[in-house]
Amino acid sequence: MGQRLTDGPLRGIVPPLVTPLTPDEQLDRDALERLVENVIAGGVHGLFVLGTTGEGPSLSYSVRGAMVEASCEIAAGRVPVLVGVTDTSLAEAIDMSLVATEAGADAVVFAPPCYFPIDQDDLASAVRRLAAESPLPVMLYNMPALTKTIIEPETVRQLTDEPTVIGLKDSSGDLAYFRQMREVMRQRSDWSLMAGPEHLLAETVAIGGDGGVCGGANVFPRLFVRLFEACVSGDAAASQALCSRVDRLGDLYRLGSNPALSVIQGIKAALAERGVCAATLCSPFSPLCNGEIDMVRAILRDVEAAEDLTKVVSPTAAPV
């Protein structure tokens, strides 16, 4: 059994799982099982479903529910499962928290609602209502590039008085903000502070971060687990070598033409090459074009150069 969130702050590598889709955009449960088994075999410390990498906001509610239920069933308590509930509707976010509870998830993750601008007072009120009505603890998610709203440090400080709010995932890429969050969170020893941008994992752990929600861990979980362990142990040489592979993997995310989607496109293309799931994205968005697949293959070859990072996909995995 993995760490439970009641045991203390979540620490380590928590992949934001992609959502494997069939050609008709239903959940591909067999592919999801391959994905979950691969990342757990790679030593990850939790799973985050329906986040940005999981295309959560684009999916139908039926597929979201199926993804939550199947992920929890496959994980079977081996690691904590966190569920993204962000929505333009607070009522829908609360309803998804009930779905997550019924499925056996461990926490929900909530970013500011988008479309209508929201001020900090209303944002704090939304979090407090979710915290009151969700049976599961709530992790905040700062993703200003997509939500167009920063969860300001003072708002986070105010929310430290909510006992069921348990931390923050910061995907801003702003190290100054991350440092501020580390200071704010000293008020709550049970809070986790996780970083989103994987190229900043080593720097954020050095600041006092608790780990990373790294999209690349869908493809190479062992790489990110080893990097986290090297950072925590202070092994600078290993950390530097592993960071170079993370940087090379990051070339995947510069292949697409839409910066908001290129991470998802790159990761799904890599997973397709490794026999895990199809490269299909939720409509209306497209996968990488065929002309970019040779570059995906070159990146994978470079990152796989280390023997212990070779694929852990079951030899019975179906071709995709």
Side-chain angles (χ1 to χ4, degrees):
M1 296 288 287
Q3 176 191 343
R4 312 321 302 164
L5 297 186
T6 54
D7 297 337
L10 179 62
R11 304 192 75 232
I13 300 300
V14 181
L17 293 181
V18 303
T19 302
L21 297 172
T22 62
D24 60 351
E25 298 188 26
Q26 298 303 303
L27 178 68
D28 185 337
R29 195 189 187 286
D30 290 343
L32 176 62
E33 185 165 3
R34 289 192 290 272
L35 175 64
V36 171
E37 292 300 337
N38 284 348
V39 298
I40 290 179
V44 303
H45 305 87
L47 306 175
F48 175 31
V49 303
L50 302 184
T52 304
T53 306
E55 303 172 82
S58 292
L59 300 171
S60 69
Y61 289 114
S62 63
V63 172
R64 295 185 208 188
M67 178 66 177
V68 172
E69 291 166 6
S71 297
C72 290
E73 182 181 348
I74 297 165
R78 288 175 289 174
V79 293
V81 177
L82 291 76
V83 174
V85 299
T86 303
D87 203 290
T88 52
S89 164
L90 180 58
E92 294 289 355
I94 292 168
D95 284 350
M96 186 55 66
S97 77
L98 302 180
V99 171
T101 302
E102 182 67 22
D106 296 88
V108 297
V109 184
F110 182 69
C114 60
Y115 192 82
F116 290 114
I118 187 168
D119 64 29
Q120 295 295 304
D121 288 342
D122 285 342
L123 175 56
S125 295
V127 173
R128 292 188 191 281
R129 181 177 164 195
L130 177 61
E133 299 189 33
S134 169
L136 296 175
V138 177
M139 178 170 281
L140 306 176
Y141 183 5
N142 187 49
M143 184 53 152
L146 297 182
T147 66
K148 307 302 187 290
T149 299
I150 296 173
I151 307 178
E152 294 180 0
E154 177 57 24
T155 302
V156 178
R157 188 197 65 74
Q158 292 174 13
L159 291 170
T160 60
D161 66 6
E162 287 289 342
T164 61
V165 177
I166 59 168
L168 173 77
K169 178 201 170 190
D170 175 35
S171 291
S172 69
D174 183 343
L175 290 175
Y177 177 90
F178 198 90
R179 289 188 181 92
Q180 285 183 285
M181 291 302 95
R182 182 72 276 163
E183 290 304 311
V184 168
M185 292 185 185
R186 295 191 190 284
Q187 301 177 53
R188 285 280 298 273
S189 61
D190 59 329
W191 272 39
S192 296
L193 177 58
M194 309 290 284
E198 55 201 53
H199 67 285
L200 296 178
L201 179 62
E203 291 177 84
T204 55
V205 170
I207 290 169
D210 294 301
V213 185
C214 304
N218 281 276
V219 187
F220 292 112
R222 214 169 281 166
L223 167 62
F224 289 90
V225 170
R226 287 183 58 210
L227 175 56
F228 174 74
E229 292 172 346
C231 294
V232 170
S233 68
D235 188 338
S239 177
Q240 183 176 5
L242 293 164
C243 280
S244 69
R245 287 199 169 86
V246 169
D247 289 343
R248 176 57 173 148
L249 184 62
D251 289 337
L252 277 177
Y253 316 147
R254 290 180 277 276
L255 297 180
S257 60
N258 184 339
L261 293 171
S262 58
V263 171
I264 307 167
Q265 291 172 314
I267 291 171
K268 279 197 161 180
L271 289 170
E273 287 299 310
R274 303 188 87 217
V276 178
C277 69
T280 306
L281 269 68
C282 187
S283 295
F285 304 110
S286 302
L288 293 178
C289 66
N290 289 336
E292 294 167 310
I293 300 306
D294 284 344
M295 289 182 279
V296 172
R297 292 169 181 156
I299 292 166
L300 292 177
R301 283 196 300 269
D302 290 346
V303 179
E304 286 173 339
E307 182 179 354
D308 59 349
L309 297 179
T310 55
K311 65 181 181 180
V312 294
V313 177
S314 166
T316 61
V320 292

